[in-house]
Amino acid sequence: MLPTISSDSSASYQGHAIHFRLGLAHEQCSLFEPCDFSLVRGKITGIVGWNGSGKTSLAKVIASKEIPGFPQDISIQYVSSHENYAFDEQEHEDLLPKDYIAEIVNKKMASLKEEIAKLEGRLGEDVEDVERIANRLAELCDTQEELESTSAKEIQQMLSDLAFQKFLKYPVRRLSSGWRYKCRLAAAFSSHPDILILDEPSFLDANSLEWMVEKCNAMADDANAMVVIISHKALLLDKLCDRILYINSANNKMTFYNCGYEEFLATREANTDYAERTLEVFDSKLQTAKSSLKNLKDHLQRRETNFKKASFQNADQRFVRGKCKEAKQKADRSAASKLKQIRSDVDEMEELKRDSLKEQFRQLKVDGYCSGSTLAIFDDVTFAYPNESSPIIQYLDARIESTDRILLTGENGCGKTTFLRLLVGELEPTDGKIMRDLDPLYFPQTSLIEMTIDHADETAVTYLDCAMTQTDLRHHLGDFGIADIALRPVAALSAGQRVRLWLAKQQLHSRRPSLLILDEISENMDYESRNMLSSIVNSFVGAAILVSHDADFCAAFQPTQVWEMRSFGQFAIKHTVEN
């Protein structure tokens, strides 16, 4: 679902850059006012802001090419971790990884042929723009030739760089979220787009993240592409971005910063401090001006009273009335001048107030209970998927107690999610036994994609699926900081808002879980929400299991145990606190 583009929005292409004048809204609710910015070849632009500020909406609008004046022959790859937008993965999930990537590259080559044919047809018609068309035609032909001659080799090299060897025989639907996301990335890089948009890169282990950073830099430096990164991860933004677009949802403004992420943070903080200091001075001046105006009015009133009194005591009434009128006119002009200055000060102060506005923390809560008993016992458990010779978990003996805090780590595809599905009963062991006595609140890493596919057109209150009044449902959403999105469709929500909505629904249907299981929940949450969530997990009264590749989120978690999943289905369990 695309947002509404403001009527004065436009785009223009000058070969090395696309210049935008753009404002966006959702159902008459402004995301950000029209502002000017550009995407430049060879540059990596970071889009930052709190959840719900409009980052993904901006990315979708750019990818749609629906902005008036946007060049239609520009190729775009939009890669999202939480929804399938540019390429419908469901239709191709039975393909093997190599074939899946090749399919996207083939779609790009087919699109190139169409654009080349269109431009060739315009060469003889558009005389005024013939030079630009000829230059663009040459670029497209070069890209087509490069893809046809090197794509197969490049795909093979990327699969090798990502250590895909043991997963090459698995269809895409069988891969973990991390490996599926790597397929999307490899396909996007292999198709050599003019614009590459990575919306919340997620599920990547450390080695894969470094590979992605290297490829993004190569896309900008070597392929001369326009690269856009949407992320809440400071380390990633600092490594990649040399330009920042900041969307402030508190004042609905988007501001361009021609600098890296670290410098952007310092500049924004300095600007906010300046605005706050200036506001204090202006507020003092405003109070002084208002006081002067009041004194002036009091003085005029006294003079008018004195003149009226004098009119009864003097013989020449006309002279007195004339003097009174003249004095009053002078005073009125003085008052009007002061009033004009006060209004000017008020307008300037209001603009400063808007610039200094900061987003307010949105509350978030998850209630649970401590059962006081053992939640699960794994007794010599082995698990293998059907028709697979090698088990993904084998000979596991472990216990989970009612107050455990477990950090589950391991590389992409090692079996972390499979273990969680065994724990909650979605899967049963091939050998061995599992004793379960738990009430889990389980956030699977596929939750956001499932919400998008299955509930896209439902409003937030409809998604809650609970027989409560609208008022009570809004109050419940307010407990999760999203009361304002109650009537918006799920498809129009940001990924971070969907996380909060998912938690809100689970707390309605499993009000007091004894076990909190969060599988890659922090990937799409802003910095403040991640901090709040880590505090909630640490103070949760029951047991908690956290799976994440987010180094900052893991560092904020206070585990009693770290379970590392290794090759051949083995676990290494380290107790960090005596339990």
Side-chain angles (χ1 to χ4, degrees):
M1 179 178 292
L2 289 176
T4 303
I5 301 171
S6 64
S7 58
D8 59 344
S9 293
S10 63
S12 62
Y13 181 47
Q14 297 181 351
H16 73 289
I18 302 177
H19 302 286
F20 296 89
R21 172 74 176 170
L22 183 62
L24 296 180
H26 262 309
E27 298 177 349
Q28 278 127 26
C29 179
S30 175
L31 290 173
F32 54 84
E33 299 171 351
C35 80
D36 299 307
F37 67 96
S38 61
L39 298 181
V40 180
R41 288 190 178 276
K43 298 291 185 181
I44 302 178
T45 303
I47 304 178
V48 301
W50 282 32
N51 290 141
S53 59
K55 301 183 300 299
T56 292
S57 294
L58 173 58
K60 286 182 178 180
V61 166
I62 293 173
S64 73
K65 303 184 181 181
E66 292 187 9
I67 304 167
F70 192 96
Q72 297 302 302
D73 56 352
I74 288 289
S75 62
I76 301 174
Q77 282 293 334
Y78 173 85
V79 183
S80 169
S81 62
H82 50 86
E83 58 185 278
N84 307 321
Y85 182 74
F87 184 76
D88 192 348
E89 189 175 281
Q90 288 179 287
E91 294 182 7
H92 303 274
E93 61 181 5
D94 289 325
L95 294 176
L96 300 178
K98 184 177 180 180
D99 298 331
Y100 170 87
I101 297 169
E103 178 71 15
I104 298 180
V105 175
N106 289 337
K107 286 170 74 75
K108 168 66 182 292
M109 287 196 284
S111 176
L112 276 174
K113 289 179 181 178
E114 290 180 9
E115 291 300 331
I116 289 172
K118 288 180 184 178
L119 289 176
E120 286 175 339
R122 289 177 57 193
L123 269 178
E125 301 172 0
D126 198 341
V127 179
E128 294 182 359
D129 207 19
V130 66
E131 184 177 353
R132 191 198 72 82
I133 294 174
N135 290 337
R136 182 58 181 159
L137 191 57
E139 290 176 4
L140 294 181
C141 289
D142 288 345
T143 302
Q144 181 186 31
E145 183 179 345
E146 184 179 4
L147 283 175
E148 289 176 344
S149 62
T150 66
S151 63
K153 183 178 179 181
E154 186 175 10
I155 292 171
Q156 190 63 45
Q157 184 60 52
M158 286 198 186
L159 291 172
S160 176
D161 292 343
L162 288 167
F164 243 106
Q165 288 82 351
K166 62 180 179 180
F167 298 107
L168 288 176
K169 295 183 180 180
Y170 293 151
V172 170
R173 60 181 167 78
R174 284 283 312 278
L175 300 177
S176 70
S177 294
W179 285 103
R180 290 176 77 143
Y181 189 70
K182 290 176 191 177
C183 278
R184 293 179 208 163
L185 286 177
F189 290 132
S190 298
S191 61
H192 294 210
D194 295 299
I195 300 177
L196 172 65
I197 304 174
L198 302 184
D199 189 354
E200 301 283 8
S202 303
F203 311 126
L204 299 176
D205 54 37
N207 291 335
S208 302
L209 195 62
E210 285 299 320
W211 173 85
M212 188 199 77
V213 168
E214 180 183 327
K215 286 296 180 183
C216 283
N217 284 323
M219 282 289 294
D221 296 339
D222 302 334
N224 204 31
M226 300 170 242
V227 181
V228 178
I229 305 290
I230 299 175
S231 181
H232 297 289
K233 298 175 182 176
L235 288 176
L236 180 62
L237 292 166
D238 203 39
K239 281 184 177 181
L240 282 173
C241 301
D242 38 35
R243 316 163 85 245
I244 297 292
L245 277 173
Y246 168 58
I247 305 175
N248 186 343
S249 57
N251 58 20
N252 302 120
K253 279 189 170 185
M254 182 164 70
T255 308
F256 169 71
Y257 292 80
N258 191 23
C259 59
Y261 184 69
E262 187 175 351
E263 186 177 343
F264 149 73
L265 291 177
T267 302
R268 181 168 66 93
E269 188 66 28
N271 290 346
T272 302
D273 288 345
Y274 168 76
E276 290 175 347
R277 289 196 307 271
T278 307
L279 275 174
E280 293 178 4
V281 176
F282 263 113
D283 191 51
S284 175
K285 286 183 177 180
L286 189 61
Q287 295 304 320
T288 301
K290 287 180 177 179
S291 177
S292 298
L293 186 60
K294 183 178 183 302
N295 292 337
L296 178 61
K297 288 180 178 178
D298 291 343
H299 179 66
L300 286 174
Q301 184 65 40
R302 286 195 301 272
R303 288 190 64 178
E304 188 168 348
T305 301
N306 290 337
F307 277 126
K308 285 181 179 180
K309 184 177 179 181
S311 67
F312 291 103
Q313 297 174 351
N314 293 281
D316 193 347
Q317 300 297 315
R318 290 173 298 176
F319 174 77
V320 173
R321 284 198 297 271
K323 283 291 185 181
C324 181
K325 183 178 180 181
E326 182 183 348
K328 187 176 180 181
Q329 287 175 341
K330 286 183 178 180
D332 286 346
R333 286 195 294 269
S334 176
S337 176
K338 286 181 177 292
L339 185 61
K340 182 179 179 181
Q341 183 60 48
I342 289 172
R343 284 175 176 167
S344 176
D345 288 346
V346 169
D347 290 342
E348 189 172 351
M349 188 166 74
E350 288 302 324
E351 189 62 28
L352 275 170
K353 278 183 178 179
R354 286 197 65 196
D355 290 341
S356 66
L357 284 175
K358 297 179 180 179
E359 293 93 343
Q360 299 299 311
F361 287 107
R362 292 174 175 262
Q363 65 179 9
L364 180 65
K365 71 174 188 177
V366 179
D367 296 325
Y369 76 98
C370 179
S371 68
S373 60
T374 300
L375 300 183
I377 299 175
F378 287 73
D379 183 8
D380 200 28
V381 169
T382 293
F383 177 82
Y385 284 102
N387 303 319
E388 293 294 331
S389 57
S390 301
I392 197 164
I393 293 172
Q394 59 180 343
Y395 313 131
L396 174 61
D397 290 299
R399 300 169 68 95
I400 299 176
E401 302 296 343
S402 60
T403 57
D404 281 343
R405 297 279 191 280
I406 298 172
L407 177 62
L408 184 58
T409 67
E411 295 181 351
N412 291 138
C414 67
K416 301 184 294 297
T417 297
T418 299
F419 166 77
L420 296 179
R421 295 181 66 195
L422 284 166
L423 174 60
V424 300
E426 290 183 5
L427 297 173
E428 292 297 335
T430 306
D431 289 305
K433 295 180 181 179
I434 302 175
M435 185 285 292
R436 307 179 185 93
D437 182 18
L438 45 87
D439 297 308
L441 191 160
Y442 172 37
F443 179 89
Q445 59 184 225
T446 56
S447 296
L448 300 189
I449 289 179
E450 290 168 359
M451 286 178 73
T452 306
I453 294 172
D454 300 332
H455 306 280
D457 297 328
E458 297 177 10
T459 64
V461 291
T462 303
Y463 172 78
L464 291 178
D465 190 25
C466 184
M468 294 169 62
T469 67
Q470 288 274 330
T471 301
D472 289 339
L473 287 173
R474 282 175 178 269
H475 282 310
H476 180 70
L477 290 173
D479 290 337
F480 293 83
I482 49 173
D484 56 328
I485 57 95
L487 299 181
R488 285 195 206 168
V490 169
L493 303 181
S494 73
Q497 289 171 328
R498 289 178 202 165
V499 171
R500 288 174 177 267
L501 180 58
W502 187 94
L503 289 171
K505 181 175 182 176
Q506 296 306 310
Q507 283 279 267
L508 278 177
H509 297 278
S510 178
R511 287 185 179 273
R512 299 187 67 221
S514 61
L515 174 62
L516 185 62
I517 306 173
L518 304 177
D519 189 359
E520 302 282 13
I521 194 172
S522 69
E523 293 293 333
N524 304 110
M525 301 187 80
D526 56 45
Y527 176 77
E528 290 73 17
S529 297
R530 290 205 312 273
N531 284 349
M532 192 177 300
L533 185 61
S534 64
S535 176
I536 288 171
V537 176
N538 286 329
S539 60
F540 185 72
V541 295
I545 299 178
L546 179 67
V547 178
S548 180
H549 293 292
D550 183 339
D552 292 334
F553 192 49
C554 290
F557 183 44
Q558 299 168 3
T560 58
Q561 301 174 42
V562 177
W563 292 19
E564 181 186 358
M565 291 196 69
R566 297 177 176 175
S567 55
F568 309 110
Q570 300 297 311
F571 279 79
I573 299 177
K574 176 185 177 183
H575 291 263
T576 58
V577 176
E578 289 299 327
N579 208 4

